[in-house]
Amino acid sequence: MVKASLVSLLAIIIASALAQLASSALMTSMPLQIAHVGGSASQAGLVAGAYSLGFMAGCMRGVRMITRTGHIRAFSGAAGLTALLVLFFKNTESVILWAALRFFMGAAFAVLFATADAWLNQSTQDAVRGRVLSVNSIVVGGMAILSQIFVAHFSEVPAEMMELLCAILLAAVVLLCMTRSVPPRTCKSKRVKLREIWAQSPVAVLGVFCAGAIVTSLLTVIPFSLYEAGVGSSTTALMIAMLYIGRLLFQWPLGSLSDQIDRRWLILGSSASIATILLCFLIFEPFSGWNSQFLRNYQLLSILGLVLIVLGGLSFPLHSLCVAHAFEKKPQNSVALSTFLLFIWAAGSVAGPTLISILAPLLGAKTPDLLLIGLSGMLALFTAFRLRLSKGPILRRALRKSLLVGGTVHYASFHQAQAPDK
């Protein structure tokens, strides 16, 4: 069943992965180009913030576009628009114009990824959803790693890199338009509100928000912390790669296990483990003795590499686990649900670094650790609370059923004893 589902969804998975390659490459190359033209860190932050705002805007307006045009047209239109916007980067060095372009590019990528998520979730059965989403996440994660190699190879020729990114996006359009698989049908339905999604899957809503905040903060905080400790840039890049390697290693086992048990148990275990790992780092401060001697540095980096593999393997799959849990409720409008969850994830990815910058003057250097521990711990506690609430009705129904069965058996045996022998 898993193989058949993957074959039918192969086109959208590969097309989405190609778009992810372009998105990750642009995310890394834009700060490099801003620095190349003499821009400042605040200007780089402006461009990054414009992309995040555009992504959230695209999530808010994407449902209507996908419902009106269909999945293939929505994906193709968003990818084609992104390719067109990429071409404009070659002809200007204005940071303000780059910010505007990144805003519309963020909106287009939001529609693109929302279309892919809705297509995958609506076309996949509950029994194999975790494994299908895991395969998609593995392919996307592999493209994220490949994108960094792509940027490193073409960083000296940004114009040529932009042309290749356009070609990659257009290849995704061609691949999806030539597919023989039938996309899900779209129909007009009532507008889905956030409180309705929260009422159906509160763990999924909070989990998606925390996943966005945790992953984005980790990708921001770890390089900064390593730089402050005196770790070189090449070693820092290697440590960040450990996060993505952990994602590739853990995604399939977690996805496969989520098809067999209640996904909330995996969400609980992942978030509690993240909080525990970060709490240990906060207490023991392993880099306090950095540069004391080479052997100690090597041991610390070896331990950190292993920990980052586990941390990435728990943090990145958290989003797909929450999405799969939300689709267990059989939503009437899968496009709206996918878009809302993507919007909430984007809000979390903006909120994480923003909260760190706001709380840093109050909490000092330990702010990132405290915030991530708070977010993951909050998700673990809330998930445990929801599991306890759902366990009560199940036990009551089981007890009521056993009493009814027991009463029926007792009634039948009594009348059988009273019946005359023939």
Side-chain angles (χ1 to χ4, degrees):
M1 185 181 295
V2 177
K3 185 178 180 180
S5 299
L6 289 174
V7 170
S8 64
L9 296 172
L10 187 60
I12 184 61
I13 290 176
I14 297 178
S16 177
L18 291 175
Q20 181 63 52
L21 189 154
S23 174
S24 299
L26 287 168
M27 187 73 69
T28 304
S29 63
M30 285 309 303
L32 298 178
Q33 292 193 46
I34 293 173
H36 179 72
V37 300
S40 62
S42 60
Q43 289 176 327
L46 173 66
V47 174
Y51 176 83
S52 298
L53 290 176
F55 196 95
M56 295 176 69
C59 290
M60 295 175 64
R61 306 298 297 178
V63 177
R64 185 178 302 176
M65 178 180 176
I66 298 171
T67 303
R68 184 177 67 249
T69 63
H71 292 75
I72 292 180
R73 289 180 179 178
F75 186 98
S76 302
L81 176 60
T82 306
L84 181 63
L85 293 172
V86 169
L87 289 177
F88 285 108
F89 281 99
K90 294 175 52 180
N91 303 319
T92 181
E93 292 185 353
S94 171
V95 176
I96 300 299
L97 183 56
W98 281 353
L101 292 173
R102 287 295 284 170
F103 175 85
F104 290 106
M105 195 177 292
F109 271 121
V111 175
L112 191 152
F113 291 132
T115 304
D117 287 348
W119 190 332
L120 288 173
N121 281 287
Q122 193 172 353
S123 303
T124 307
Q125 299 179 6
D126 288 339
V128 296
R129 177 173 287 117
R131 281 166 285 181
V132 170
L133 293 182
S134 295
V135 172
N136 179 66
S137 296
I138 290 171
V139 175
V140 169
M143 285 297 182
I145 297 175
L146 182 61
S147 68
Q148 304 310 302
I149 302 174
F150 183 87
V151 171
H153 184 72
F154 291 101
S155 59
E156 300 297 329
V157 283
E160 183 178 348
M161 180 176 65
M162 293 299 176
E163 293 176 355
L164 289 174
L165 290 178
C166 287
I168 290 172
L169 289 167
L170 294 177
V173 174
V174 173
L175 176 64
L176 193 62
C177 290
M178 297 296 290
T179 181
R180 297 171 58 184
S181 61
V182 180
R185 296 182 59 184
T186 58
C187 58
K188 291 185 177 180
S189 58
K190 67 175 184 178
R191 188 175 180 180
V192 179
K193 298 181 180 180
L194 179 59
R195 63 173 177 267
E196 296 177 357
I197 300 178
W198 175 265
Q200 293 181 356
S201 305
V203 172
V205 174
L206 182 62
V208 167
F209 178 85
C210 292
I214 290 171
V215 169
T216 307
S217 299
L218 283 175
L219 294 176
T220 305
V221 169
I222 291 176
F224 180 80
S225 300
L226 292 175
Y227 175 81
E228 288 289 309
V231 181
S233 57
S234 59
T235 305
T236 299
L238 178 62
M239 291 297 103
I240 296 300
M242 295 297 105
L243 290 172
Y244 291 108
I245 291 174
R247 174 185 185 175
L248 296 180
L249 292 177
F250 280 63
Q251 186 69 64
W252 175 261
L254 289 177
S256 180
L257 187 59
S258 72
D259 289 334
Q260 305 173 25
I261 64 174
D262 191 334
R263 291 184 172 91
R264 289 177 296 178
W265 286 108
L266 292 177
I267 296 172
L268 171 61
S270 298
S271 54
S273 299
I274 293 170
T276 303
I277 292 172
L278 294 173
L279 183 61
C280 291
F281 266 82
L282 180 66
I283 294 174
F284 296 108
E285 297 183 355
F287 285 93
S288 58
W290 181 260
N291 285 331
S292 58
Q293 52 181 339
F294 174 79
L295 181 59
R296 176 175 173 80
N297 293 347
Y298 179 79
Q299 292 172 344
L300 285 175
L301 284 179
S302 300
I303 295 173
L304 179 62
L306 294 175
V307 172
L308 290 180
I309 289 176
V310 177
L311 199 58
L314 296 173
S315 302
F316 281 96
L318 194 58
H319 173 262
S320 58
L321 289 174
C322 294
V323 171
H325 171 60
F327 271 86
E328 291 175 351
K329 304 298 181 180
K330 297 293 187 299
Q332 296 181 354
N333 192 341
S334 61
V335 174
L337 179 59
S338 294
T339 307
F340 261 100
L341 294 177
L342 202 59
F343 174 82
I344 295 169
W345 178 88
S349 65
V350 174
T354 302
L355 287 173
I356 291 175
S357 62
I358 293 175
L359 297 175
L362 300 175
L363 302 178
K366 298 185 182 298
T367 301
D369 293 331
L370 292 173
L371 178 64
L372 293 177
I373 291 171
L375 288 172
S376 54
M378 176 180 65
L379 177 59
L381 291 175
F382 183 75
T383 305
F385 172 72
R386 293 296 304 179
L387 281 169
R388 183 176 181 182
L389 283 182
S390 61
K391 190 176 181 180
I394 293 176
L395 290 177
R396 286 195 294 270
R397 286 195 297 269
L399 180 61
R400 188 183 301 115
K401 183 178 180 180
S402 63
L403 289 175
L404 289 174
V405 172
T408 303
V409 172
H410 176 73
Y411 179 82
S413 60
F414 174 78
H415 280 273
Q416 185 178 3
Q418 297 297 323
D421 296 332
K422 292 184 180 180

